[in-house]
Amino acid sequence: VLHAVCKDIVAWLPQLAEVGTPHALSGLTPEEIVLVDDVRTNFQSSSPARPKIVRYCKVARFDCYYRDMGFKYDMGGIGAKSDNDYATLLDFVQNPWQYKASLKVV
């Protein structure tokens, strides 16, 4: 899907075709897209072409006591504990070399 989006961004985001809309996304390449999710398999493609996801960030989950609901498993997500998560994600996107890298290709 990401490759199709890059090939024809207006087909996926028709609002970009409106007059006066900045074209900051024109020429977008898959290498410029960062996927963020808590499920690693969402970074894999079932396409026969097996396109690679070059940049991704897997968000950790955690177990904790949550309010009056008791102990819960697999809690989490960006912003679950702190709004600073968003700033950290932006820093990761802008400076990925400062973060631990996975040498696996998914």
Side-chain angles (χ1 to χ4, degrees), residues 1 9 13 31 37 45 51 54 66 90 93 98:
V1 171
I9 191 89
L13 302 170
E31 294 80 14
D37 204 328
S45 173
V54 180
Y66 185 70
L90 180 59
V93 170
Q98 294 181 352

Side-chain angles (χ1 to χ4, degrees), residues 28-90:
L28 185 69
T29 65
E31 294 80 14
E32 296 172 304
I33 297 173
V34 178
L35 296 182
V36 179
D37 204 328
D38 65 342
V39 179
R40 182 168 278 120
T41 55
N42 288 342
F43 303 129
Q44 300 173 1
S45 173
S46 60
S47 165
R50 304 292 298 162
K52 303 297 181 213
I53 303 302
V54 180
R55 301 179 70 191
Y56 69 91
C57 177
K58 184 184 179 299
V59 178
R61 296 184 202 164
F62 56 90
D63 302 334
C64 69
Y65 287 95
Y66 185 70
R67 299 183 184 172
D68 61 346
M69 298 175 67
F71 194 78
K72 295 292 177 186
Y73 295 96
D74 291 333
M75 297 289 287
I78 294 187
K81 286 191 171 183
S82 169
D83 287 341
N84 292 333
D85 292 349
Y86 299 100
T88 302
L89 177 60
L90 180 59

